[in-house]
Amino acid sequence: MTDIKKFQEVIGYHFHDEKLLRQALTHSSFANEKHLKKHSDNERLEFLGDAVLEIISSEFLYKEYPDKPEGELTKLRASIVCEPTLALCTKDIALGEYLLLGKGEDQTGGRKSILSDALEAVIGAIYLDGGFANAKEFIHKYILTDIEHKQLFYDSKTILQEVVQGEHEQLTYVLTDESGPDHNKSFTVRACIGERVIGSGTGHTKKAAEQEAAYQALLLLKNQQRG
């Protein structure tokens, strides 16, 4: 079973009702496998956490960027709360290590595709357990950080295309691996300039894998520029 106490130490928030946290970390595949009672999984908490995240991120951007028009703020918020970016945020708290997943889900590498949902469920659980202020503190600490980096990640394919075009080179994405059942596929893609591989990414859609590959490519190119 997952170590509830340790996870609370990691995130710096201690629950009054630990059952809420256990529910937030319980994927439907685990609940079904263990025949848990209805609504024991994290889907309802994810629904709530999604709404809490949207209002807190909206307020943050409204205050942080007073000169940006609505359209730009909307795009910026999308770059923060989209599934791949949220999955990226979970690395700091090693959320994947604490999820309760069914055996089938675990074996097919489903962990990555459900990290963002679990993060939203944790936000929902904190909101119910400790109120708006505690949820806000968690979101500011683990999600609303390094906004420029997250925007780079969100817009990585567009930005990389512009960079490569500026050098008059040809960018391609090559699918190198596809595995898992239809409902939970995993794709691995390489970003290439000509024959040169500049980034690799994995995702549960080709688009997500391409985004990750483009992001890794941009980080590589930035480092090369610095060097």
Side-chain angles (χ1 to χ4, degrees):
M1 296 296 278
T2 196
D3 192 339
I4 293 286
K5 301 284 186 203
K6 187 178 176 187
F7 184 68
Q8 291 174 92
E9 294 291 338
V10 170
I11 65 174
Y13 177 79
H14 294 269
F15 279 76
H16 302 289
D17 181 3
E18 288 188 351
K19 289 198 295 292
L20 277 170
L21 177 57
R22 185 167 292 279
Q23 184 182 348
L25 297 173
T26 301
H27 187 252
S28 57
S29 62
F30 183 88
N32 293 336
E33 196 175 276
K34 300 294 182 185
H35 306 293
L36 302 181
K37 64 182 183 183
K38 200 174 181 184
H39 303 316
S40 296
D41 61 43
N42 63 9
E43 287 175 1
R44 281 166 53 84
L45 284 172
E46 177 205 335
F47 162 79
L48 179 62
D50 177 63
V52 174
L53 175 60
E54 182 150 324
I55 185 66
I56 289 171
S57 57
S58 299
E59 180 199 38
F60 171 81
L61 295 172
Y62 181 87
K63 290 179 175 176
E64 195 74 10
Y65 300 98
D67 299 323
K68 283 191 185 295
E70 182 211 358
E72 285 187 38
L73 290 173
T74 300
K75 190 180 179 195
L76 198 49
R77 183 179 64 198
S79 73
I80 296 165
V81 303
C82 71
E83 183 184 298
T85 312
L86 290 179
L88 202 65
C89 294
T90 65
K91 289 181 180 177
D92 288 342
I93 54 175
L95 180 60
E97 294 176 21
Y98 299 94
L99 289 182
L100 294 166
L101 294 175
K103 286 191 176 68
E105 197 74 40
D106 223 351
Q107 287 161 2
T108 56
R111 207 169 272 263
K112 186 171 182 180
S113 68
I114 55 177
L115 284 170
S116 62
D117 294 344
L119 183 61
E120 288 179 335
V122 169
I123 292 166
I126 292 172
Y127 173 75
L128 288 178
D129 188 74
F132 190 79
N134 282 303
K136 185 174 181 177
E137 187 178 337
F138 176 85
I139 290 167
H140 276 253
K141 189 174 180 182
Y142 293 112
I143 299 173
L144 298 176
T145 54
D146 207 357
I147 301 298
E148 284 180 21
H149 217 70
K150 290 191 170 85
Q151 200 170 18
L152 177 71
F153 179 70
Y154 180 70
D155 289 328
S156 53
K157 284 181 72 177
T158 307
I159 296 168
L160 182 61
Q161 185 66 45
E162 288 169 358
V163 169
V164 172
Q165 276 180 342
E167 301 292 327
H168 306 293
E169 294 185 277
Q170 186 68 36
L171 172 66
T172 55
Y173 293 96
V174 180
L175 181 67
T176 58
D177 188 53
E178 183 179 334
S179 59
D182 286 344
H183 74 281
N184 189 22
K185 283 217 176 281
S186 177
F187 299 90
T188 302
V189 168
R190 285 177 180 163
C192 304
I193 297 176
E195 297 293 311
R196 184 162 65 106
V197 177
I198 55 168
S200 181
T202 304
H204 64 101
T205 64
K206 285 180 190 172
K207 187 178 175 184
E210 287 173 0
Q211 182 183 18
E212 176 75 32
Y215 178 62
Q216 296 301 334
L218 283 169
L219 294 182
L220 176 75
L221 295 174
K222 273 193 161 192
N223 286 334
Q224 285 178 349
Q225 283 174 352
R226 287 196 192 106

